[in-house]
Amino acid sequence: MSMTEVVACMEQLIHVQTQGRAWVAPKTNLSTDDERFMMATLAAADDPPFMAVKALIVNPSNPARSLSAINSSITLLDSDTGLPLAVMDGNWVTALRTAGASAVVARRLANADSSVLALIGCGVQARSHLAAFAEFYPLTQVRAFGRGRENRDLLCTIASDLGLEAVPSESAEDAIRGADLVVSSIPLLPRIEPFLDANWLKPGAFVSSTDFALPWIPESLQMFERIIIDDRQQEAAMAEPMIDASLVHGDIGELVSGKVRGRLDKMERTAFVFRSVALGDLAVAALAYQKACADEA
């Protein structure tokens, strides 16, 4: 599936939600004493007629077992009858929908001529965002900064294969300064010490923080003229907010519907900070299921 298809499906579902024909429940999560993080999300719609339920576990002990730190699955059901239709790899769906959500917002908050992309964190999300932004922006250079050399080198190879200049950055600051687009996708592991400073951003930069803004120094977030989150209702139900509520200008639904305006001038620093986009899980899962059925027909 192309990212253009993913973005179109997500935007359609967001419009359907504003019409009262799609629904998203605030995510449920819990933590254990051994630092596991467990989460469940739920989204449903009448058009397309599906419900997607995702179950996810983050376990920092997994890499020592040669497993991904995050593993998940998605069950797709008929939203009318409740009959199960498919079980999908949640990691694959999450990668596509997260980059898709970033692209939906970036198309309204980032400058159209953005050419330099900085990726903070070089894992699955970095690769999916590289693919998405390469599809929508005239990228010429990609900067990569992360703890794992293997992932960083792989990301640089992918960027080079796309015909882009790949720069393995020595520090996060080196990657961010002068970049037009910045994606932070630090693994959601315990005890993250903020190390990213919004003061490094140039005027006009756009940031997508897929990691709850945890790696960003809270005081520096005031540098943003405009911050959009994924879901105001969901955020209000969370025990700990991602960022100071006074910094939030709206959510993705309000942005796509036009209730909240996008970028106002070329020099604004803008950001999308989000926990999860359950409606995005539904969009990707529905699109994948429909394509699979069409292929079998």
Side-chain angles (χ1 to χ4, degrees):
M1 301 189 300
S2 72
M3 193 54 65
T4 298
E5 290 176 302
V6 170
V7 167
C9 192
M10 289 183 68
E11 291 183 344
Q12 177 201 355
L13 266 176
I14 290 171
H15 284 301
V16 169
Q17 183 184 26
T18 63
Q19 297 165 2
R21 294 185 293 121
W23 308 271
V24 178
K27 75 174 187 177
T28 301
N29 61 76
L30 56 86
S31 299
T32 65
D33 292 338
D34 60 357
E35 299 184 337
R36 281 173 293 157
F37 175 78
M38 305 178 184
M39 183 180 77
T41 65
L42 168 66
D46 284 338
D47 180 22
F50 303 118
M51 180 173 78
V53 182
K54 180 165 76 174
L56 175 150
I57 295 178
V58 181
N59 190 336
S61 299
N62 274 359
R65 309 169 188 168
S66 299
L67 296 172
S68 170
I70 302 176
N71 286 298
S72 63
S73 64
I74 289 181
T75 304
L76 191 70
L77 302 94
D78 184 305
S79 61
D80 182 30
T81 66
L83 292 174
L85 302 172
V87 177
M88 301 184 185
D89 175 3
N91 290 11
W92 175 77
V93 171
T94 299
L96 280 179
R97 69 90 162 130
T98 304
S102 290
V104 167
V105 175
R107 282 156 51 113
R108 294 162 173 82
L109 288 187
N111 284 310
D113 60 355
S114 296
S115 61
V116 178
L117 170 64
L119 298 167
I120 310 301
C122 300
V124 172
Q125 290 298 346
R127 295 193 288 273
S128 64
H129 277 77
L130 170 57
F133 286 169
E135 196 166 320
F136 290 111
Y137 294 94
L139 297 184
T140 59
Q141 184 186 85
V142 175
R143 304 170 182 176
F145 175 77
R147 295 178 302 173
R149 185 184 182 91
E150 183 178 350
N151 275 345
R152 187 194 68 179
D153 290 348
L154 174 59
L155 190 60
C156 286
T157 297
I158 294 171
S160 295
D161 289 345
L162 290 172
L164 307 174
E165 179 189 4
V167 179
S169 300
E170 294 300 320
S171 70
E173 183 175 356
D174 287 345
I176 289 174
R177 284 197 181 277
D180 302 305
L181 305 165
V182 178
V183 177
S184 66
S185 57
I186 302 302
L188 300 179
L189 302 178
R191 298 186 297 273
I192 295 176
E193 187 69 30
F195 66 98
L196 301 179
D197 192 335
N199 289 287
W200 299 336
L201 295 164
K202 77 172 192 177
F206 167 77
V207 170
S208 179
S209 173
T210 74
D211 41 29
F212 304 7
L214 289 173
W216 292 88
I217 298 170
E219 295 77 14
S220 76
L221 297 180
Q222 297 180 19
M223 286 295 297
F224 290 106
E225 283 84 9
R226 190 170 299 273
I227 298 179
I228 297 297
I229 62 173
D230 44 347
D231 190 323
R232 283 188 192 263
Q233 180 182 2
Q234 173 179 264
E235 191 63 11
M238 296 294 104
E240 296 183 13
M242 295 182 292
I243 61 175
D244 187 328
S246 66
L247 300 176
V248 177
H249 286 78
D251 63 24
I252 190 171
E254 294 171 324
L255 185 67
V256 171
S257 68
K259 185 177 180 180
V260 171
R261 294 181 64 185
R263 174 176 288 275
L264 299 180
D265 67 67
K266 194 171 180 66
M267 304 303 285
E268 276 191 319
R269 296 177 182 86
T270 59
F272 180 38
V273 178
F274 58 119
R275 295 179 184 271
S276 63
V277 185
L279 205 63
D281 290 325
L282 174 60
V284 173
L287 185 59
Y289 177 74
Q290 290 171 324
K291 278 182 167 286
C293 290
D295 288 344
E296 289 183 358

